[in-house]
Amino acid sequence: MSAASRARAPQRSHRTRETRQSRQRLQSRQTRTSRSRTALLSAGAAVAALVLTACSSGGTSGGGGGTGFITSSDGIATVKKSDRADAPELSGKTLYGKQLDVASAYQGKIVVINVWGSWCAPCRAEAPNLVKVSEDLADQGVQFVGINTRDTSTGPARAFEEEYKVTYPSLYDPTGKLMLRFEKGTLNPQAIPSTLVIDREGKVAARSLQALSEAKLRKMIDPVLAEK
């Protein structure tokens, strides 16, 4: 082998190692990207049902079939006290950046959860009714909490609350993760807007998947308020 050939051999070997390392790094990045994409697609699929039923002015909810709840003709689903499921952990930051854990903050109270978005016309229609009833029942141990979802920033949601003079807190849940904590087959929120009534023991007692009039909202809450 000539001297020139011997000089080129280490260079080729070095370039081969660099090429192999570059390929390995590329494959590693592609694997990580693929895993991230798969995780995102899975999360998107989980929220798909919610998106499809978002912002509905009316709706029905199922009952029977072993679910333990009954839906009346006005779309309000209820379940008797002995069959109620525990509400999931609902915690996080509010629209104004404060940390809120619903169960610990409002232990022993009836909690009315309203899922809403500032972009949702039926949510705007029902907002004055929610505000009025929340103020009327505040001294009876009833606490309202909003879950704001699918607002990409808190600005429009804050403007919504200012417009309708909403005084109760709302958790900021832009991707719907809090809603997905409710188990299937229970009184879980499946549309925007949705309203749930959680009894004093932290169990879900009633649900509506539509914008509520003041009368319907009171109809949901009153039976739970009367419980001993």
Side-chain angles (χ1 to χ4, degrees):
M1 179 181 294
S2 67
S5 297
R6 286 196 298 272
R8 286 195 297 271
Q11 294 177 359
R12 287 196 296 270
S13 176
H14 180 66
R15 286 197 296 270
T16 300
R17 286 197 299 271
E18 286 186 338
T19 300
R20 186 182 301 114
Q21 290 171 352
S22 296
R23 288 175 178 172
Q24 289 173 344
R25 287 194 294 268
L26 178 60
Q27 289 174 350
S28 178
R29 284 197 297 270
Q30 289 174 337
T31 299
R32 289 196 299 270
T33 300
S34 178
R35 288 174 179 171
S36 298
R37 187 177 294 114
T38 299
L40 288 171
L41 289 172
S42 297
V47 183
L50 168 63
V51 174
L52 288 172
T53 56
C55 207
S56 171
S57 59
T60 59
S61 51
T67 59
F69 58 88
I70 298 173
T71 305
S72 63
S73 58
D74 56 11
I76 297 174
T78 58
V79 61
K80 63 182 181 180
K81 194 170 184 178
S82 60
D83 292 337
R84 293 173 188 169
D86 291 330
E89 178 190 353
L90 298 173
S91 62
K93 288 189 176 181
T94 68
L95 291 173
Y96 292 88
K98 295 182 178 180
Q99 194 68 28
L100 174 64
D101 185 315
V102 172
S104 61
Y106 306 123
Q107 186 175 9
K109 290 191 174 185
I110 294 169
V111 179
V112 179
I113 302 290
N114 178 252
V115 182
W116 64 280
S118 67
W119 42 269
C120 169
C123 299
R124 292 181 172 276
E126 72 173 358
N129 304 323
L130 294 165
V131 171
K132 185 177 189 309
V133 176
S134 70
E135 293 173 350
D136 288 350
L137 299 182
D139 61 354
Q140 298 184 50
V142 178
Q143 173 65 47
F144 279 58
V145 176
I147 296 179
N148 172 258
T149 191
R150 293 183 64 202
D151 272 309
T152 55
S153 68
T154 59
R158 289 184 184 185
F160 178 103
E161 291 198 332
E162 291 173 6
E163 179 180 355
Y164 292 102
K165 298 179 174 58
V166 179
T167 57
Y168 53 82
S170 280
L171 292 164
Y172 182 50
D173 184 32
T175 60
K177 290 182 179 179
L178 291 178
M179 298 176 70
L180 293 175
R181 291 182 181 177
F182 288 83
E183 294 182 6
K184 293 181 179 179
T186 65
L187 292 180
N188 54 335
Q190 298 174 359
I192 304 170
S194 288
T195 301
L196 306 172
V197 179
I198 301 174
D199 67 20
R200 295 181 182 89
E201 297 178 1
K203 298 179 182 293
V204 183
R207 177 192 67 183
S208 176
L209 302 178
Q210 58 187 311
L212 292 169
S213 65
E214 181 183 341
K216 283 188 177 181
L217 180 56
R218 292 184 185 277
K219 183 178 180 181
M220 286 182 68
I221 301 170
D222 285 348
V224 184
L225 194 56
E227 292 175 352
K228 302 300 182 182

